[in-house]
Amino acid sequence: MKFWMRRIVFYVVTLWAAISLNFLLPRMLPGDPAAIMLGKLRRANGNRPLSEETIKAITSILGAEKGSSLWDQYLAYWGRLLQGDLGVSSTRYPAPVGELITAALPWTVTLVGAATIVSFVIGIIAGAWVGWLRGTWVDQLVPITTFLQSVPYFWLALVLVAVFSVQLGLLPIIGGYDVFEFPAGPEWSPAFIGSTLLHAILPATTIVISSVGGWLLGMRNMMVQTMAEDYVITAEAKGLTRSRIRTAYAARNAAIPSLSGFGIALGFVVAGSIVTEQVFSYPGIGKLMIQAVQGLDYALMQGVFLVITLTVLAANFLMDLVYGFIDPRVRRDG
């Protein structure tokens, strides 16, 4: 019980610090972000006056309301967050930030999440195989995948586009779906799902190729280290089959440290693959973040950063719980 209470208190404090920092950052910037954003909103609205609700929301999120102290602004900020109000985007006025993030989130979670899981599974299985057959020709997979991991994302993405889209014409270049076939936007239909899967092949392949090398190398090294442990040697002395030793003794224990990295990777899934989404013009969180930074959309930047922070904290908290169940030593030492 002490372990669980310490972890809960730690993450609650971390969450409070992250939200408080998200509140303070715009107010620490030079100038007045609220005034800048209100000016952009007026221009986007054809220089027509903004509503009092919009002005109050922007100043509550980014700047100082007249006659209010920093503490009052802080309490108002928390109140709006608890109501799900993240403000209004200046680059896509009058769209609320929450709606923009909600629309982009499924694209990123589906693409990056699936690619992360696929690369993890391939890396763990291939790493266990390479570690088990260390010293043979399969060791050549390590430098090959490590080289692919070192290749810049954007270069690899452009190569895939040049080969499979431009030269062969097999796969679409940009977008999350065929906008000409579905001009009204996303819909729940087999044809639309097929279009999204087709558009996701190249960006997902880019992510998998660029990340599988890290999982493979880590699993391979842990596999080699685990095979030298006493319990593996004892299993071999008992005459157990090689397949059982490889799966139940070596690979099972070698994969445990990789779970921590996998949990962190899943937490950053929401952040998206910024470069990949930009190259393929994929409608995810990464592309939304770039647009917010380019347009100095402070409210949208705050909203995206907050969602990413919350997701990373939630993923780490879940992995702490999983580790606590898997390894009792964590509960005792933690």
Side-chain angles (χ1 to χ4, degrees):
M1 183 59 67
K2 287 184 178 180
F3 170 78
W4 305 121
M5 290 303 300
R6 279 198 296 267
R7 303 316 295 166
I8 292 173
V9 170
F10 171 78
Y11 281 104
V12 168
V13 173
T14 305
L15 175 62
W16 167 79
I19 295 178
S20 300
L21 185 62
N22 206 39
F23 165 80
L24 290 173
L25 280 178
R27 291 159 175 80
M28 297 170 61
L29 294 174
D32 188 351
I36 295 173
M37 187 170 178
L38 288 173
K40 292 176 65 175
L41 290 179
R42 291 190 182 94
R43 290 192 295 271
N45 200 31
N47 289 323
R48 292 191 296 271
L50 302 175
S51 64
E52 290 296 327
E53 291 78 8
T54 301
I55 296 175
K56 186 175 181 180
I58 296 301
T59 52
S60 295
I61 294 293
L62 297 176
E65 296 183 75
K66 293 182 179 180
S68 63
S69 63
L70 187 63
W71 176 250
D72 293 333
Q73 299 170 44
Y74 183 67
L75 294 179
Y77 178 77
W78 268 98
R80 291 186 178 277
L81 282 184
L82 294 177
Q83 297 174 10
D85 185 2
L86 299 176
V88 179
S89 170
S90 62
T91 54
R92 299 190 184 183
Y93 181 81
V97 170
E99 291 184 3
L100 295 176
I101 295 176
T102 302
L105 202 55
W107 295 97
T108 292
V109 171
T110 303
L111 172 68
V112 185
T116 301
I117 294 173
V118 169
S119 63
F120 175 77
V121 172
I122 294 176
I124 293 300
I125 294 176
W129 181 51
V130 173
W132 180 257
L133 300 177
R134 66 192 184 283
T136 63
W137 65 270
V138 295
D139 265 341
Q140 300 303 318
L141 289 176
V142 175
I144 293 174
T145 55
T146 303
F147 168 75
L148 292 175
Q149 186 180 17
S150 65
V151 174
Y153 264 41
F154 69 90
W155 188 85
L156 180 60
L158 293 175
V159 169
L160 293 178
V161 167
V163 174
F164 293 98
S165 298
V166 178
Q167 294 184 0
L168 301 179
L170 298 176
L171 297 170
I173 299 177
I174 62 173
Y177 60 94
D178 191 339
V179 295
F180 298 103
E181 186 178 355
F182 304 97
E187 62 181 50
W188 288 105
S189 67
F192 179 79
I193 295 175
S195 179
T196 58
L197 292 176
L198 189 65
H199 281 74
I201 291 177
L202 282 183
T205 302
T206 303
I207 298 172
V208 170
I209 292 176
S210 300
S211 57
V212 71
W215 299 117
L216 188 149
L217 179 61
M219 183 62 182
R220 187 261 181 197
N221 293 339
M222 287 303 303
M223 190 73 172
V224 172
Q225 179 180 342
T226 303
M227 288 173 60
E229 296 290 341
D230 293 338
Y231 57 84
V232 176
I233 298 174
T234 303
E236 292 176 345
K238 288 181 178 180
L240 298 179
T241 61
R242 289 177 59 83
S243 60
R244 184 178 180 185
I245 294 173
R246 180 180 64 245
T247 304
Y249 288 82
R252 181 179 180 181
N253 290 280
I256 292 178
S258 298
L259 289 176
S260 178
F262 181 61
I264 296 174
L266 284 181
F268 280 101
V269 160
V270 175
S273 181
I274 297 177
V275 176
T276 303
E277 290 185 12
Q278 182 69 6
V279 170
F280 291 101
S281 191
Y282 199 79
I285 291 291
K287 190 171 184 293
L288 189 67
M289 185 187 303
I290 290 180
Q291 293 174 347
V293 173
Q294 291 175 341
L296 296 178
D297 192 338
Y298 293 105
L300 186 54
M301 281 189 282
Q302 272 190 295
V304 171
F305 293 153
L306 183 61
V307 170
I308 293 173
T309 301
L310 293 178
T311 308
V312 172
L313 288 176
N316 278 272
F317 178 67
L318 289 177
M319 290 311 301
D320 273 352
L321 296 182
V322 171
Y323 254 80
F325 284 113
I326 293 177
D327 191 349
R329 294 173 300 178
V330 175
R331 297 196 301 267
R332 184 179 63 249
D333 300 336

